[in-house]
Amino acid sequence: MSTKEKIVLEYPLKATSLDVIWTAISTPSGLEHWFADKVIDNGKNITFIWGKDDSRDAMIATFRQGVFIRFKWLDIDDKKEYFEFRINYNELTLEYILIITDFAEHDDLGDTESLWNSQVETLCRENGL
């Protein structure tokens, strides 16, 4: 059994409002603009759909309004594995930082980072960040 490695990526955002970022990372309509083609909220469980045939279910493991939201894929048995979107505010640079935590196989770390870079580029473009 191979263990996945934690990956933490930071993205400075040109946002003037925390609400814009929070909506983009924590609501189905916000996530549909950059993360998945369709997002269905079933209470605590969320279905992410890409294209016609690719979907995955996750649960919201924990969140703090305006700070972070952590998802756990339902098809992953490792209790320590999750993906998280966290917002920090840098008082020196006066900018918001989106911190994404995810897990990937060692051989897939570069691909995972590239995928997140692409996704966040779409997030920024779609939300004027």
Side-chain angles (χ1 to χ4, degrees):
M1 179 174 127
S2 65
T3 354
K4 292 186 177 180
E5 296 179 30
K6 184 189 233 181
I7 181 171
V8 179
L9 305 166
E10 295 188 13
Y11 301 94
L13 304 175
K14 296 178 180 118
T16 55
S17 166
L18 172 64
D19 292 339
V20 171
I21 304 167
W22 182 249
T23 298
I25 66 171
S26 68
T27 66
S29 61
L31 289 162
E32 285 176 355
H33 282 279
W34 70 281
F35 183 71
D37 296 327
K38 183 146 183 70
V39 179
I40 301 169
D41 184 347
N42 302 310
K44 194 166 181 165
N45 290 342
I46 309 291
T47 300
F48 297 99
I49 302 168
W50 297 272
K52 292 184 180 186
D53 300 324
D54 190 12
S55 71
R56 282 185 84 184
D57 293 317
M59 66 177 273
I60 299 173
T62 185
F63 76 97
R64 186 170 342 146
Q65 180 74 31
V67 179
F68 75 92
I69 186 164
R70 181 178 291 182
F71 298 93
K72 168 113 179 57
W73 293 118
L74 296 181
D75 59 355
I76 303 283
D77 290 331
D78 188 344
K79 302 285 185 227
K80 296 177 187 174
E81 195 175 318
Y82 59 91
F83 71 101
E84 177 182 276
F85 305 130
R86 179 175 294 269
I87 306 165
N88 280 352
Y89 185 71
N90 184 325
E91 302 221 0
L92 292 175
T93 63
L94 304 176
E95 64 187 1
Y96 290 98
I97 310 292
L98 175 62
I99 302 167
I100 297 176
T101 304
D102 197 1
F103 289 78
E105 298 289 343
H106 180 76
D107 292 345
D108 295 334
L109 290 174
D111 289 342
T112 299
E113 184 172 350
S114 292
L115 177 63
W116 281 118
N117 289 344
S118 174
Q119 295 297 101
V120 171
E121 183 179 306
T122 301
L123 166 73
C124 292
R125 186 177 57 251
E126 291 290 322
N127 292 283
L129 304 173

